[in-house]
């Protein structure tokens, strides 16, 4: 595991980055976009009483609202214009991908290539608007009914809150797309990553202060630090783990020349779905509880209060649903991003085959069987990483930032971003070699 971490760190060559102008532009663009996002988390909604909001949030921060606040980078605590964060867009993506597997018309669009993908993306944006309006309306109604948080309750506050929060979500969706296309890394994941990392120093300082006051034992703090380091190493090791299938290519003759048979490997990642299952699972659990987190403080009884209680961190219902959704999305997303039949057909066209397995349908079935088995291990790994720290967070009253989901997101997004930086560096070095070769050729002439 240590070697994996060392190899990951070695991928960053700061000297090479300084020479790659295109890569530097992408990095600066990404940093600028994330700074704009962080500034937006400090702009409050109009008509909010900050002191009353802080008191109300402190009373409800131990449940789902605290996790939502973590993903939004503290925007919920301040009830900023980015309080909804990018979660409605993630929820819309989940729904569209589920419908793609069910509705033949959407499945046909998916098979149309780039044109079909653009139409599906447009459907996702429309659904994002609907979900954001629904959630922002629930937040607005909840704020009005939660004591004296709103200075001037009424229709104007409801409409302005819905427009502001929905506009904030749509802006973040656009910003994430711009980061993906013009920056480095996946924009959606980086926005969530930035929110978690930004408040991490505050969470660490708060935990140390609790230890100084005697509310948390020193042994527990040391245990949490050891657990966090172990999780980071474990995540790095598991995210780099692969099952490599041996592929043989027979001898072939091109013209009068005979080429020897070659051997390569088909790498299958243990966790093909990456960080998507925990994010999707968290967003689905947050969707119905967004309103409930505010309403509970208003009446404390009824269906909304019961829903909030059952979906609180550490509760059996929450843990079961969280684990079930992680397993489901691990298999679901793997099925979306990797098609065994298409892979088998490509191998057959190239003349490659797996030793002992017939090309074509048998190869597809074999790849699917292997992929299913390693996905089981990947899903179990995700459940363990996300649930065990969540139990510790729930019963030891530690901040959500020390949970497995947050550490998994931070480590996975970091690895993915570093891998993209490394890819750009290799492309830059290749372009440099090509230019040198052309320059030598022109001098010889």
């Amino acid at each position: 595991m240590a070697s994996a971490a060392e190899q990951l760190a070695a991928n960053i060559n700061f000297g090479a980055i300084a020479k790659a102008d295109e890569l530097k532009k992408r990095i600066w663009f990404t940093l600028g976009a994330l700074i704009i996002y962080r500034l937006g988390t400090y702009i409050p909604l109009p008509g909010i009483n900050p002191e009353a909001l802080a008191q109300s949030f402190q009373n409800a921060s131990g449940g789902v609202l605290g996790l939502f606040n973590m993903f939004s980078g503290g925007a919920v605590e301040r009830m900023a214009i980015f309080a909804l964060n990018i979660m409605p867009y993630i929820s819309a993506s989940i729904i569209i991908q589920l419908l793609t597997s069910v509705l033949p018309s959407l499945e046909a669009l998916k098979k149309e290539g780039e044109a079909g993908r653009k139409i599906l993306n447009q459907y996702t944006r429309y659904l994002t608007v609907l979900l954001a309006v629904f959630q922002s309306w629930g937040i607005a109604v909840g704020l009005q009914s939660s004591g004296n948080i709103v200075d001037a309750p009424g229709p104007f506050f409801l409409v302005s809150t819905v427009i502001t929060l929905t506009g904030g979500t749509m802006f973040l969706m656009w910003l994430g797309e711009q980061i993906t296309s013009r920056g480095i890394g996946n924009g959606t994941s980086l926005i969530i990553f930035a929110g978690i990392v930004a408040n991490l120093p505050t969470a660490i300082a708060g935990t140390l202060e609790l230890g100084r006051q005697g509310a948390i034992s020193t042994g527990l703090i040391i245990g949490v630090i050891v657990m966090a380091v172990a999780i980071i190493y474990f995540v790095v090791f598991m995210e780099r783990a692969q099952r490599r299938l041996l592929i043989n290519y027979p001898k072939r003759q091109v013209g009068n020349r005979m080429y020897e048979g070659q051997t390569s490997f088909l790498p299958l990642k243990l966790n093909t779905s990456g960080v998507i299952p925990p994010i999707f699972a968290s967003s689905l659990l947050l969707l119905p509880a967004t309103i409930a987190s505010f309403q509970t403080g208003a009446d404390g009884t009824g269906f909304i209060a019961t829903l909030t209680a059952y979906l609180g961190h550490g509760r059996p219902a929450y843990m079961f649903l969280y684990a079930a959704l992680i397993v489901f999305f691990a298999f679901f997303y793997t099925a979306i991003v990797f098609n065994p039949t298409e892979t088998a057909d490509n191998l057959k066209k190239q003349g490659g085959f797996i030793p002992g397995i017939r090309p074509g349908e048998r190869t597809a079935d074999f790849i699917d069987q292997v992929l299913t088995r390693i996905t089981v291990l990947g899903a179990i790994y995700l459940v363990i990483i996300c649930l065990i720290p969540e139990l510790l967070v729930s019963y030891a009253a530690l901040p959500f930032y020390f949970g497995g989901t947050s550490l998994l997101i931070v480590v996975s997004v970091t690895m993915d971003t570093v891998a993209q930086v490394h890819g750009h560096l290799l492309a830059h070095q290749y372009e440099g070699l090509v230019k040198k070769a052309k320059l030598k050729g022109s001098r010889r002439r």
Side-chain angles (χ1 to χ4, degrees):
M1 287 187 290
S3 62
E6 292 170 0
Q7 185 177 356
L8 177 64
N11 284 344
I12 306 179
N13 188 330
F14 294 101
I17 291 177
K19 299 178 182 178
D21 293 335
E22 177 65 22
L23 179 58
K24 284 194 296 184
K25 291 179 181 178
R26 287 180 172 271
I27 292 176
W28 282 115
F29 179 86
T30 302
L31 292 176
L34 294 180
I35 290 174
I36 292 174
Y37 158 65
R38 288 302 301 159
L39 290 176
T41 61
Y42 286 90
I43 303 175
L45 290 173
I48 296 293
N49 185 337
E51 296 180 358
L53 175 65
Q55 181 63 35
S56 177
F57 179 83
Q58 187 176 2
N59 296 334
S61 61
V64 177
L65 195 60
L67 183 63
F68 203 1
N69 186 58
M70 180 193 74
F71 283 134
S72 65
V76 173
E77 182 179 5
R78 295 180 287 270
M79 198 46 63
I81 59 175
F82 291 161
L84 285 182
N85 203 262
I86 205 165
M87 289 303 172
Y89 176 67
I90 295 176
S91 301
S93 301
I94 297 171
I95 296 172
I96 293 297
Q97 289 179 358
L98 287 172
L99 292 178
T100 301
S101 304
V102 176
L103 299 179
S105 57
L106 294 182
E107 186 177 2
L109 283 175
K110 182 181 177 181
K111 296 179 179 179
E112 289 182 5
E114 184 66 19
R117 187 182 64 82
K118 288 183 178 179
I119 297 176
L120 290 176
N121 287 342
Q122 199 65 24
Y123 289 162
T124 304
R125 295 187 183 100
Y126 293 149
L127 186 57
T128 300
V129 174
L130 294 178
L131 292 178
V133 168
F134 169 76
Q135 289 185 271
S136 57
W137 177 265
I139 289 177
V141 173
L143 288 172
Q144 281 200 154
S145 61
S146 299
N148 58 346
I149 294 179
V150 180
D151 293 330
F156 179 77
F157 172 78
L158 294 175
V159 174
S160 63
T161 300
V162 169
I163 293 175
T164 303
L165 291 179
T166 302
T169 295
M170 300 308 295
F171 176 79
L172 288 183
M173 181 188 70
W174 174 83
L175 192 66
E177 292 176 351
Q178 295 302 309
I179 292 175
T180 302
S181 61
R182 301 173 61 183
I184 288 291
N186 182 280
T188 302
S189 300
L190 279 174
I191 287 175
I192 299 175
F193 167 87
I196 296 174
V197 172
N199 283 349
L200 192 57
T202 304
I204 295 175
T207 302
L208 294 177
E209 179 64 21
L210 290 175
R212 189 186 67 83
Q213 296 174 358
I216 299 178
S217 65
T218 304
L220 179 58
I221 295 178
I222 296 175
V224 170
I225 295 174
V226 173
M227 181 201 71
V229 174
I231 287 178
I232 291 173
Y233 271 84
F234 184 55
V235 168
V236 172
F237 177 77
M238 295 296 287
E239 290 297 323
R240 298 175 69 89
Q242 296 178 347
R243 168 70 191 278
R244 302 202 301 173
L245 300 181
L246 180 64
I247 306 295
N248 287 338
Y249 293 91
K251 294 181 180 181
R252 57 193 180 94
Q253 183 174 356
V254 179
N256 296 326
R257 298 187 61 181
M258 178 67 70
Y259 290 89
E260 292 291 331
Q262 298 179 346
T263 299
S264 65
F265 293 94
L266 175 65
L268 301 177
K269 287 190 64 177
L270 185 67
N271 179 28
T272 307
S273 56
V275 74
I276 296 299
I279 294 179
F280 278 16
S282 299
S283 64
L284 282 188
L285 287 176
L286 289 172
L287 182 61
T290 303
I291 307 172
S293 298
F294 286 99
Q295 292 281 2
T296 302
D299 50 43
T301 59
F303 171 75
I304 295 179
T306 304
L307 177 64
T308 304
Y310 275 110
L311 290 181
H313 274 268
R315 302 286 184 176
Y318 174 85
M319 293 296 181
F320 175 78
L321 285 175
Y322 193 33
L325 287 173
I326 288 175
V327 173
F328 169 76
F329 283 117
F331 280 92
F332 175 74
Y333 200 75
T334 299
I336 290 177
V337 300
F338 192 94
N339 190 334
T341 302
E342 183 178 346
T343 303
D345 290 341
N346 290 335
L347 288 175
K348 187 176 181 180
K349 292 177 182 178
Q350 297 171 4
F353 64 93
I354 299 176
I357 307 296
R358 285 187 178 183
E361 186 177 350
R362 292 286 182 88
T363 299
D365 292 340
F366 177 76
I367 295 176
D368 183 62
Q369 183 181 16
V370 173
L371 190 63
T372 301
R373 289 178 177 177
I374 64 175
T375 303
V376 170
L377 296 177
I380 294 174
Y381 141 72
L382 289 176
V383 170
I384 292 174
I385 287 295
C386 294
L387 284 193
I388 291 182
E390 293 290 340
L391 290 171
L392 182 61
V393 166
S394 301
Y395 293 109
L398 293 173
F400 290 111
Y401 302 95
F402 298 109
T405 306
S406 57
L407 288 177
L408 178 65
I409 292 173
V410 169
V411 175
S412 299
V413 173
T414 301
M415 292 178 63
D416 178 63
T417 305
V418 169
Q420 290 202 25
V421 170
H422 188 54
H424 281 282
L425 287 177
L426 290 177
H428 176 73
Q429 293 173 1
Y430 176 76
E431 290 177 359
L433 292 175
V434 171
K435 289 180 180 179
K436 288 182 180 179
K438 289 183 178 179
L439 183 60
K440 288 182 179 179
S442 61
R443 287 177 178 176
R444 289 176 182 176
R445 292 176 184 175

